[in-house]
Structure formats: structure tokens, C-alpha cells
Amino acid sequence: MRISARADYAVRAALLLAGAHDEPLKTEAIAEAQEIPHKFLEGILNDMRRAGLVVSRRGAHGGYRLARPASEISVADVVRAVDGPLVSVRGVRPPELTYSGPAESLLPLWVALRANVRRILEGVSLAEVAAGDLPEFVHALAQDPAAWSNP
């Protein structure tokens, strides 16, 4: 699985909004604070607005804020808003695939991969990441030294 720059930027922007405690933040402030290209961020925030994750208000006191509490928005919600499905194979969701012969067992492998990605990204809220209070299962996975190395 690959985390796109778009998804990384979206999560970072959402975390900044989570820390703003319902105060609207301007696109420029988010872009500067997280070193995200301004125009790129505008598109990301529009995708997040269409997905119902953020709301925007125009004017001098305007900007973006989360549409609901950070504890109710998972990292998966943000990634899906800007990149679509969490796991796909050639742009197709695993349950829509069919394989034959020796490749037949690939399908349960891809489904298992999707289940694990979902477990992690759906199991962690923006509030938990913003507070540095990740769930224990995430800490356990990250404590494995092999998780930090590239074979």
C-alpha cells in the first residue's frame, strides 16, 4: 500500500484543524504550518468538504474547521475523502476481482490486506493522533523492529 502525498497532506491538515478546537483556519495558515503547497491544499480541502469532513466559511473570520468532533473522524475517513478506497488492485476493490489457477489464492490475500489496513486506519481517530494517544494495537505493531526496516 502506498500513502499518496495527497492523503498525507489531507491527514496533516485535518490534524491541524483538530487542534484548532472549532476555530476556523485559513488555507494559507494550514499550508504554511504544514508546508503544503497552497493550491494543492485548496483541492484537498474541497474534497474533504464534499465528503462532509470539513466546513468552510467565507469572510474575514472565515476558514475551515472540522464538520464534527475529531474523535468521530478516523484517519480512514480522511484518506478515502481524497484518494478513494483504502486498498484497490489496479483500481478495483478486492471483492470485485476474480482469479484462476495458481493466482486464485491472491483474492483472500488482498482481502486480508484490506481488512488490516481498515483495522488500523478506521481504528484511529484524528483526536487520538492529535493528542499523541495512539491505540495500544498501533503501538504494538510499531514496536516490532522489522516494521521500521525495508527488506
Side-chain angles (χ1 to χ4, degrees), residues 5 14 33 42 53 55 68 99 113 127 141:
E42 284 179 347
L53 299 179
V55 293
R68 55 188 194 268
Y99 294 105
L113 172 66
L141 289 168

Side-chain angles (χ1 to χ4, degrees), residues 2 33 54 70 100 107 110 114 128 132 134:
R2 181 177 126 328
V54 300
S100 60
L107 185 56
W110 298 151
R114 182 174 75 159
E128 290 169 315
L134 297 175

Side-chain angles (χ1 to χ4, degrees), residues 44-86:
I44 289 167
L45 290 169
N46 280 330
D47 286 346
M48 292 172 65
R49 184 182 45 77
R50 280 191 292 279
L53 299 179
V54 300
V55 293
S56 62
R57 185 172 65 194
R58 295 177 187 248
H61 300 289
Y64 287 88
R65 63 180 178 78
L66 294 178
R68 55 188 194 268
S71 61
E72 296 177 14
I73 301 173
S74 72
V75 174
D77 293 331
V78 177
V79 173
R80 283 187 186 112
V82 299
D83 271 355
L86 295 177

